[in-house]
Each structure stands twice: as structure tokens, then as C-alpha cells.
Amino acid sequence: MKIIACMKWIPDTSEAELSIASSGMDIKKDDLDYDLNDWDRFAIEEAVQLKEKYEGDVTVVSVAPEDSEEMLRECLARGADEAFQVWNDAFEGSDGYVIAKALAQFAGKRPFDLILTGTLAEDDGGGQVGGMLAAMLGIPSANLVSHIEIVDGKAKFRRELEGGLYENIEMDLPAVISVATGLNEPRFVSIRAVRKVASIDIPTVDLDELGLDEDQVGASGSRITIEKVFLPPEGEGAEIIKGSTEEAAARLAEILKEKGVL
């Protein structure tokens, strides 16, 4: 079974004080660390588990600059068999459509049974690449998948719905499946595993190899234009109710009446 796992390299904003770049089109990223998108960490783990269960190999690919090599080596340490970096400076400013196009060109040149991605990326939350990638390849897709089995050349899986509901689906392969967080427990990457993959070559796939021109990628090839990026306005803040229990209860009742709740 041949699996392609698509990874995204994103800025870590979990504990950062965000500020807007002078262009007004993005956040300042100069001082931010980058890491593997957390949703994709579950995707690579699922890819390796499927490989171990059904035999085969896992290819990891990311549309990201040279600095992302450490992330790709982490994926190799997690059990992937090979990794590829798709990049050219012309990719700067690409939207999800361009990324999906590049991944489709990459996947279309090699045999595969299954492509796995995370459902969302933590930086933009677009959730579009998996579906567009499948459409470009002309194969079925599903997102928010929380369990996968392969039976008789088909993927049988559970998909999350709203309101705590799930649905069981059977889908022909090849297919694109975008996974949810929590469908597995990503393995711990040991120092030994990292050292083992330190010398593995990670080829860079250029535009020529993808069969794309510079005007098909980056901002010129994108379908989405960002008009403005801004931080949400600060509210007035919360009122801390002080005093005895009776005084606090009276003040709370007063607030609820002012808001029309009581």
C-alpha cells in the first residue's frame, strides 16, 4: 500500500504576542518558531500505522522552503520512508488552491493508493486543500475522519459530524482522506530515531518537475486575495465581583437584570 502524507510547516503562535506586519497583509513572523501543523502530526502517524498494518510505504511531501527540512526529518523519524520538499521562491504568497495544485502535480507523477492530510491548518484554518487536491486528481475525498480501515481495496472509515454524531463510510481507493485530531496517539520521536534519519537525502522538487510556470503559483496563481489582516478589537474586559457572598450575589443579580436576562 502506497501512502502520501501531505504536511504543512506553520508558525507557532500558541504563546506568541501577535502583531501585524507593516504591509497589513500578514502577521510578523520574523521572531516566530515554525513547526509541523498539529493536525498533520495525526495524519503522518495514521499513515505509518496503516503502513505497519497493511504493508507498504509512506511518502511525505510539503510545499515549504528549505528551513522546513527539520520538520520533514521529524516525519522520517516517525516512520515515513521518503520525504520531498516542493519549493521555489515563486511559491511565496500561495493560497490553498495553489498548494493543492502543486500537491496534485506531485502525486500525479507517482503511484499511490491513499493521500492523507490534516483537515485544518492551525495558521489559517482554511480546511480546503484536501478537497481541492482530490478534485484535481479526480478521486473521492472525505474530511474529519477519526478511524480508518482498508478492506478489499476500499477505505472504511468513521467521519465526525456536528452535534457529537458520526457516520460510517466506505470509499473506493485511491482517495484523499483528511483526518481529525485524536484518531490516534502520535508516537514519541526518540533521539536515536532522529539520528538515524539525519543523513537521508530530502530532494527539492522544483516548478519544472511539477510542470508548472511561475505565473501559476504564488499570488499570481492564487484564487484568494487577502485584503487586510487585523487583530480583533479589545473589549472592555470583565468585571470582577468583590465582597461577601451576599454582596456578590446581589451584584450578579443586578448585572443579569441590566442585561435583560432576569
Side-chain angles (χ1 to χ4, degrees):
M1 183 176 190
K2 294 188 175 296
I3 304 171
I4 297 176
C6 303
M7 304 287 101
K8 187 173 184 182
W9 192 58
I10 65 168
D12 182 3
T13 60
S14 57
E15 297 182 7
E17 290 251 355
L18 298 182
S19 58
I20 306 302
S22 58
S23 65
M25 308 294 281
D26 204 348
I27 61 172
K28 290 182 179 179
K29 299 177 180 178
D30 297 343
D31 297 327
L32 296 179
D33 294 325
Y34 279 69
D35 197 3
L36 173 62
N37 177 45
D38 196 45
W39 293 71
D40 297 341
R41 189 169 279 110
F42 290 91
I44 180 60
E45 176 63 31
E46 190 68 14
V48 173
Q49 287 190 17
L50 290 172
K51 161 196 159 180
E52 293 170 345
K53 185 174 182 179
Y54 300 107
E55 299 185 354
D57 54 73
V58 174
T59 297
V60 170
V61 59
S62 181
V63 182
E66 184 178 343
D67 292 345
S68 67
E69 184 176 305
E70 182 179 345
M71 173 198 71
L72 293 172
R73 292 202 183 280
E74 177 190 329
C75 293
L76 291 171
R78 289 181 180 277
D81 298 279
E82 56 181 355
F84 292 86
Q85 193 172 47
V86 175
W87 190 251
N88 179 292
D89 288 344
F91 274 107
E92 285 287 355
S94 297
D95 67 356
Y97 172 79
V98 171
I99 301 302
K101 184 193 298 183
L103 293 173
Q105 292 295 105
F106 174 87
K109 298 180 185 299
R110 48 189 36 81
F112 67 89
D113 300 296
L114 180 63
I115 297 178
L116 292 178
T117 76
T119 293
L120 292 174
E122 292 177 298
D123 56 348
D124 59 20
Q128 301 173 333
V129 171
M132 289 192 290
L133 171 57
M136 292 173 184
L137 293 171
I139 58 178
S141 70
N143 61 10
L144 287 174
V145 172
S146 59
H147 178 76
I148 304 173
E149 290 184 0
I150 307 300
V151 181
D152 298 329
K154 297 179 183 291
K156 292 188 175 183
F157 56 89
R158 182 175 66 232
R159 181 174 175 272
E160 294 182 12
L161 301 175
E162 294 80 5
L165 299 176
Y166 294 86
E167 62 180 357
N168 291 323
I169 297 178
E170 180 178 285
M171 193 162 65
D172 291 333
L173 297 178
V176 176
I177 292 180
S178 299
V179 305
T181 56
L183 84 162
N184 54 47
E185 183 68 35
R187 66 195 65 194
F188 172 76
V189 180
S190 67
I191 295 176
R192 181 181 179 183
V194 172
R195 288 176 176 170
K196 188 176 180 181
V197 302
S199 60
I200 294 179
D201 181 45
I202 299 180
T204 298
V205 181
D206 205 343
L207 287 174
D208 291 340
E209 295 176 69
L210 295 175
L212 297 174
D213 298 323
E214 288 194 5
D215 61 356
Q216 293 178 287
V217 301
S220 59
S222 296
R223 301 292 180 89
I224 295 175
T225 301
I226 296 177
E227 296 184 352
K228 182 181 180 183
V229 173
F230 57 94
L231 296 172
E234 294 186 7
E236 297 179 358
E239 177 183 339
I240 305 300
I241 301 176
K242 299 180 179 180
S244 65
T245 302
E246 292 77 9
E247 291 171 338
R251 176 54 186 152
L252 178 58
E254 183 181 338
I255 292 173
L256 294 176
K257 287 180 181 179
E258 290 174 356
K259 300 296 183 182
V261 178
L262 296 179

